[in-house]
Amino acid sequence: MRIEEIRQQLRAAGAKSCHEERVLRAWTQLVGLDTRHRKAEDFLPLAVRNLLPALTAQLDGLVRLRSEHPGEDGSARLLVELADGQTVESVLLPRDGLCVSTQVGCAVGCLFCMTGQEGLLRQVGSAEIVAQVVLARRMRKISRVVFMGMGEPSHNLDNVMEAIETLGTSAGIGHKNLVFSTVGDHRAFERLPQGPVKPALALSLHTTKADLRARLLPKAPRIAPEELVELGEQYARATGYPIQYQWTLLAGVNDSDEELEGIIRLLKGKYAMMNFIPYNSNEGLGFERPSAARAGEMAGRLHQSGILARLRDSAGQDVDGGCGQLRARASSKPIRIHAPKAPHK
C-alpha cells in the first residue's frame, strides 16, 4: 500500500486535505483524532468516520513484528513481516533512532552485504515504510529515521519520497533527522532537491577506486568516486546538511594507506563527514573486519587532515546485526556465497 492510496480512500469519503492530515497524524504519531478544542465528530465528515474502522484495520495489517533481537548497545533488530508474508528488517537504534527497509532484497548486489545476495524480490510501499516507524513508535520514542536497511532507496524513489514527505510532515520528524542512504544514483540527486521535505544524505562510498567500487558494488550505477563526491557536495551546500559518507571497512580490501590518501584528496575542504563502519561479519561472504587498532588509526589520520571522521559499529553486533542476516536465518534456504577478496594495494 502507498500513502496516496490512503489519501484516495479518504477523499472518496469526502475528506478535505486537513482531514487527511489529521488521520495521518493520528496514525503516525499514535495520538487520538480529537484536537485540543474539538472532538473528531465535530469536524470529520460522517462518511470519513464510518470509513475509519476499516482503514485502521488496513493500516494495522501492513506490518507485524515477527521477532525482536535486543543488543547490548541499546539497539534491537526487528524482523518485520509484511501483509503478503515477506519479511524485512528494521533496527531500533540508540538515541531514539530507527533504521527502515525500503525493498525486500536488493538489486545492487554488494559483495559484503547479505541482503544483496538474494536479489530484489519486491518494492516496499510507502505506507509499509511508514508502518515500520509506527510499529517502532509502539515500542519506544522515535525521532530519527534512517533509510539504511534492506534495499537501495534510489531504486524505489516514488515510495521512498512519499514516505519521507509523510514522516517529515504528518509524523513530525525533523527533516535533518531523516537520512536517505544510497550507493549513488543520478535519479536520486535530481529528485531529492525537488521534494517538500529534503532529507539529509548518506552516500555509500567504500573506496576511492572506481575499478574496486565496480567489483564491490557490481550493479550500482557507474558513477566515479570523484563525481559522486561532487554531486554530494552540491546537495550539501543546497540543503545545509553535511554529507555522511559511509565506508564499510574490509580488512585487506579498502583499509590501506593508499585509500586514506584518496579520501583526503576527495573530502578535504568538503561539507562532509566520514563514517567508518568495521565490517559486520556475515558467515560465508569471504570478508573480515580490520583490527580495532587499524580502524582507529584510519579515523585518526582523517582527523589530523581536517576531515571529520567517526568510527562506528553497526548496531546489534552481538545479535548478528548485518542487514539481511535475520531474514536469511528465518529463510529455509540460507544464502552462502564465498566472494574472493580484492587485492590489498
Side-chain angles (χ1 to χ4, degrees), residues 12-283:
K16 298 180 180 179
S17 59
C18 60
H19 302 139
E20 294 174 32
E21 290 305 318
R22 187 64 200 173
V23 172
L24 288 172
R25 180 177 180 273
W27 175 49
T28 58
Q29 297 194 37
L30 305 181
V31 296
L33 283 166
D34 296 340
T35 67
R36 179 179 298 180
H37 303 293
R38 302 176 68 190
K39 292 187 177 298
E41 58 263 29
D42 295 332
F43 65 89
L44 282 181
L46 177 60
V48 173
R49 281 181 275 141
N50 290 338
L51 170 67
L52 288 178
L55 180 59
T56 299
Q58 286 183 59
L59 298 178
D60 288 345
L62 287 172
V63 302
R64 75 173 185 90
L65 181 62
R66 169 84 72 85
S67 60
E68 178 182 357
H69 306 261
E72 293 180 358
D73 57 1
S75 67
R77 292 268 167 181
L78 310 178
L79 185 63
V80 177
E81 183 175 325
L82 307 177
D84 64 354
Q86 294 286 359
T87 55
V88 295
E89 297 175 28
S90 301
V91 187
L92 295 168
L93 302 170
R95 297 179 297 280
D96 304 331
L98 177 71
C99 177
V100 297
S101 292
T102 58
Q103 295 181 305
V104 181
C106 182
V108 176
C110 300
L111 297 188
F112 48 84
C113 176
M114 183 67 80
T115 301
Q117 306 313 315
E118 62 179 341
L120 176 63
L121 299 181
R122 78 164 174 88
Q123 306 289 15
V124 176
S126 57
E128 293 174 314
I129 296 171
V130 174
Q132 293 173 62
V133 180
V134 175
L135 173 66
R137 280 184 160 176
R138 296 186 188 280
M139 304 172 74
R140 63 168 73 166
K141 178 182 177 183
I142 299 296
S143 58
R144 179 170 57 94
V145 176
V146 297
F147 292 75
M148 297 181 183
M150 296 174 63
E152 165 53 49
S154 66
H155 291 175
N156 189 17
L157 262 181
D158 289 343
N159 281 298
V160 172
M161 294 293 287
E162 200 168 69
I164 285 173
E165 180 176 350
T166 302
L167 293 173
T169 54
S170 305
I173 297 176
H175 298 188
K176 68 179 179 180
N177 289 328
L178 297 166
V179 183
F180 183 103
S181 176
T182 177
V183 297
D185 190 298
H186 286 103
R187 294 169 296 182
F189 288 111
E190 292 168 2
R191 289 280 300 277
L192 287 174
Q194 299 173 7
V197 176
K198 297 173 179 58
L201 184 60
L203 291 175
S204 296
L205 190 57
H206 303 307
T207 177
T208 63
K209 305 171 184 177
D211 57 343
L212 177 56
R213 194 165 193 271
R215 291 181 59 189
L216 293 175
L217 286 66
K219 297 180 182 178
R222 290 293 175 259
I223 303 177
E226 292 80 3
E227 182 185 0
L228 191 62
V229 170
E230 182 54 36
L231 290 168
E233 183 69 4
Q234 292 173 17
Y235 187 78
R237 298 298 177 181
T239 60
Y241 309 148
I243 300 301
Q244 301 175 41
Y245 288 95
Q246 313 282 48
W247 190 289
T248 299
L249 282 170
L250 306 168
V253 178
N254 63 356
D255 61 346
S256 65
D257 287 340
E258 184 181 356
E259 287 280 29
L260 271 174
E261 293 168 2
I263 295 170
I264 294 169
R265 172 177 54 83
L266 287 180
L267 298 190
K268 194 170 182 63
K270 297 294 192 299
Y271 193 25
M273 64 182 71
M274 172 60 76
N275 290 325
F276 281 133
I277 308 169
Y279 178 61
N280 204 3
S281 298
N282 281 310
E283 181 184 347

